[in-house]
Amino acid sequence: MKISVVGAGYVGLVSAACFAEIGHDVICVDNDSDKIRRLSAGEIPIHEEHLPLLLERHLGQRLNFSSDLGEAVRFCEAIFICVGTPPSPNGEADLSYVEGVAREIAHLLNGPKVIVEKSTVPVGTCEAVSRTLLLSGVSPMDFSVASNPEFLREGTAVSDFLFPDRILLGVPDQRSHSIMTQIYAPILNGSYYLSPDAIKGSTCTSTKLIISSVKSAELIKHASNAFLALKISFINAVSIVCERVGADVRQVSEGLGADSRIGPRFLNPGIGYGGSCFPKDVLAFRSVARSVGYDFNLLTEVIAINETQKSLFIAKIRNALWTLRGKKLAVLGMAFKGGTDDVRDSPALDIILSLRAQGAEVRAFDPAAMKRAAALLPEGTATFTPDAYSACTGADALIVLTEWPEFANLDFARVRKLLRFPIVLDGRNLLNAQAVRDAGLTYFGIGGDIEQPLSPLNQFEDIFDPVHVLYEQAPPQVVNTETQLA
Ligand code: UGA
């Protein structure tokens, strides 16, 4: 099938490359001609696993880039709109890019097409796109507007696309139903996975196809992101209680997530969610509710808890170091999460800015996001180091702000030698607390870290080390109880 994708941002680019991968002919169009020139030369503007391979396979063959929307519209049977929907100052999504593309398409249509809204938009956007086309004089026989929200996570976007839990098609008529199911057929009937070259890397092999009304599809996307953000804020709130009563949120999270009605994912506490989706989408969904006369106060609380997580972690750093002025801090991680170079709305950057404002000297490292962080942070906020160990050299504490897997595998004995003070503050509960402590470092995590005297064993450990050795040989009952959950 011939597909055009409008917008070569994160959603558009990944979708275009994956449509080509499953066998379609694709033109991806963007009005940033410099970006198109670089993409046509094989230069990829984002850090995304598998994307370089997909471009290498399909660029110039099934996948082409252009800045000519007319060419893209004439070429295809389905046009996917993947342009940005940034937040307005009042929290509503700014739909002016979507409207602009709809108007242009209206003047370029050369026959019946399915127009598919893939950017995250408030409910009613597809209806507004249809109205724009009709007002521009396009016959209703010549188009259908469908909603096909994406559920890609940055860092794993390609495998999320190719091995989705669900494909959601909000289709208004038979024509769009038929075209949309044909587009996703290689994933839905499994033929893509039979190819020896199919991308590997996901365990999900059964995809649920959900056919809904257009409005329901639009709402499912907003509600999904809001619910995931709520899950994170919930466990973050629980982590505060854990810390104050002497429980361990890691165990609580594991016990909670073992209920299949709740599920274990998105129950990792930390310094709060960030990125280009959750913060914007929670606000936008709350605005949608307000616009129809409902105060979705639960979402206001989700946002408030997310903000509190950052201030509580900053307070934890301050408590560990007594004062911040003049302290040298090794900060690992600037991306809003591991596996990406994206620093948009990254809680790590907010924390770095606050530490700097309180007089600390920040020496920061991130495996992928340093360039983007340097472009966003005011000059002099941080010194960027070539690796994690250089950041630690002579620092008063090590602070982990992004869940990059490689940070968990650091040589902590080496870290211990490099740090001036043996203090590690883990804002993502990423590190193995025991390994860190075994290296002679003091570990502070989120939500009742094991530095607190949690159990008789830990209390003994703190006071009288030989007891620890004794218990390792013959663990008492309390250890067994704990390890069942750990
Ligand atoms: C999110 C959704 O997960 C995708 O399904 C959706 O398609 C996408 O938004 C979008 O709307 O485009 P993404 O923003 O890439 O994906 O990142 P997530 O993996 O969801 O993480 C978001 C934030 O939550 C990160 O800052 C992460 O560190 C944080 N997080 C995540 C936690 O603090 N705890 C968790 O347990 C999980």
Side-chain angles (χ1 to χ4, degrees):
M1 186 152 297
K2 289 186 162 68
I3 295 175
S4 289
V5 174
V6 186
Y10 147 73
V11 175
L13 185 54
V14 170
S15 303
C18 290
F19 283 140
E21 171 71 3
I22 61 174
H24 302 299
D25 292 315
V26 184
I27 292 186
C28 180
V29 66
D30 198 290
N31 58 10
D32 180 342
S33 47
D34 186 49
K35 187 186 236 181
I36 289 300
R37 189 185 47 72
R38 285 188 286 131
L39 280 165
S40 302
E43 242 181 80
I44 304 175
I46 52 172
H47 176 92
E48 198 57 58
E49 199 187 4
H50 304 306
L51 202 51
L53 175 64
L54 297 196
L55 252 73
E56 196 186 303
R57 281 183 184 174
H58 306 299
L59 184 60
Q61 297 178 45
R62 288 209 293 260
L63 175 61
N64 286 287
F65 293 95
S66 166
S67 34
D68 181 354
L69 183 59
E71 179 196 3
V73 172
R74 282 191 300 276
F75 163 82
C76 69
E77 291 149 89
I79 311 167
F80 284 76
I81 302 180
C82 300
V83 296
T85 54
S88 312
N90 65 359
E92 277 173 26
D94 172 359
L95 297 175
S96 53
Y97 298 111
V98 177
E99 188 193 1
V101 170
R103 283 184 183 207
E104 283 190 65
I105 291 174
H107 292 111
L108 294 165
L109 272 187
N110 62 330
K113 319 244 167 203
V114 177
I115 298 165
V116 189
E117 179 48 69
K118 207 169 186 37
S119 321
T120 305
V121 289
V123 60
T125 302
C126 288
E127 200 173 71
V129 168
S130 287
R131 215 169 33 240
T132 303
L133 271 92
L134 291 172
L135 287 173
S136 306
V138 181
S139 158
M141 304 304 290
D142 278 347
F143 73 92
S144 316
V145 181
S147 167
N148 170 221
E150 53 80 23
F151 298 103
L152 317 176
R153 288 160 304 163
E154 291 191 27
T156 52
V158 169
S159 62
D160 285 348
F161 189 103
L162 296 171
F163 299 82
D165 291 340
R166 64 208 196 276
I167 289 174
L168 172 58
L169 305 179
V171 281
D173 50 28
Q174 194 47 48
R175 168 176 52 194
S176 52
H177 180 282
S178 156
I179 295 232
M180 294 302 288
T181 43
Q182 282 178 61
I183 289 175
Y184 285 104
I187 293 175
L188 291 167
N189 65 25
S191 57
Y192 170 68
Y193 310 118
L194 299 177
S195 145
D197 292 336
I199 295 287
K200 309 271 181 300
S202 171
T203 48
C204 171
T205 47
S206 60
T207 298
K208 187 172 172 118
L209 172 65
I210 299 169
I211 306 283
S212 73
S213 74
V214 173
K215 282 190 176 168
S216 299
E218 290 172 323
L219 208 92
I220 289 168
K221 170 67 192 189
H222 257 169
S224 299
N225 273 6
F227 189 80
L228 291 170
L230 177 146
K231 226 177 155 185
I232 297 168
S233 279
F234 182 82
I235 199 65
N236 279 335
V238 170
S239 79
I240 297 170
V241 180
C242 283
E243 210 157 292
R244 295 184 186 179
V245 300
D248 183 341
V249 73
R250 275 167 280 219
Q251 297 179 344
V252 174
S253 174
E254 196 174 345
L256 190 61
D259 183 330
S260 60
R261 293 169 301 175
I262 298 173
R265 297 169 74 185
F266 280 70
L267 282 180
N268 299 326
I271 52 173
Y273 60 77
S276 64
C277 303
F278 286 175
K280 161 176 88 78
D281 292 347
V282 175
L283 278 173
F285 193 36
R286 189 180 61 170
S287 293
V288 167
R290 272 196 190 144
S291 72
V292 290
Y294 177 63
D295 249 332
F296 208 150
N297 286 327
L298 180 61
L299 298 182
T300 306
E301 205 46 48
V302 166
I303 297 165
I305 293 169
N306 201 52
E307 288 307 306
T308 305
Q309 280 312 102
K310 288 181 263 190
S311 20
L312 285 178
F313 191 63
I314 292 164
K316 188 173 276 188
I317 299 171
R318 215 178 21 241
N319 285 344
L321 289 165
W322 192 13
T323 62
L324 287 174
R325 187 156 304 282
K327 294 278 161 56
K328 277 200 186 106
L329 303 177
V331 169
L332 300 187
M334 282 166 268
F336 80 97
K337 65 170 189 178
T340 176
D341 60 350
D342 197 341
V343 293
R344 285 175 291 174
D345 251 321
S346 171
L349 292 197
D350 290 341
I351 290 174
I352 289 173
L353 281 167
S354 170
L355 294 172
R356 183 71 194 118
Q358 293 178 63
E361 192 186 307
V362 177
R363 298 168 53 74
F365 171 73
D366 187 291
M370 291 208 288
K371 207 164 143 205
R372 287 181 192 266
L376 263 188
L377 290 170
E379 180 103 29
T381 307
T383 309
F384 299 104
T385 63
D387 57 41
Y389 298 110
S390 320
C392 292
T393 307
D396 293 291
L398 167 62
I399 298 167
V400 176
L401 296 182
T402 305
E403 62 275 48
W404 279 101
E406 47 263 64
F407 296 157
N409 299 322
L410 288 175
D411 173 352
F412 288 104
R414 183 170 168 202
V415 168
R416 170 71 191 93
K417 284 191 197 125
L418 294 171
L419 289 174
R420 227 152 66 88
F421 288 104
I423 298 172
V424 174
L425 293 124
D426 180 0
R428 298 292 193 165
N429 281 1
L430 172 77
L431 311 181
N432 179 331
Q434 190 59 52
V436 174
R437 285 204 317 278
D438 287 349
L441 293 152
T442 303
Y443 176 85
F444 298 93
I446 301 276
D449 37 65
I450 305 134
E451 281 301 312
Q452 311 290 329
L454 286 181
S455 67
L457 171 63
N458 286 330
Q459 286 172 24
F460 279 130
E461 263 183 336
D462 285 343
I463 306 162
F464 184 45
D465 210 29
V467 175
H468 177 68
V469 178
L470 194 70
Y471 278 177
E472 272 185 354
Q473 286 160 1
Q477 195 55 41
V478 66
V479 177
N480 288 334
T481 316
E482 284 192 354
T483 46
Q484 277 168 19
L485 270 175

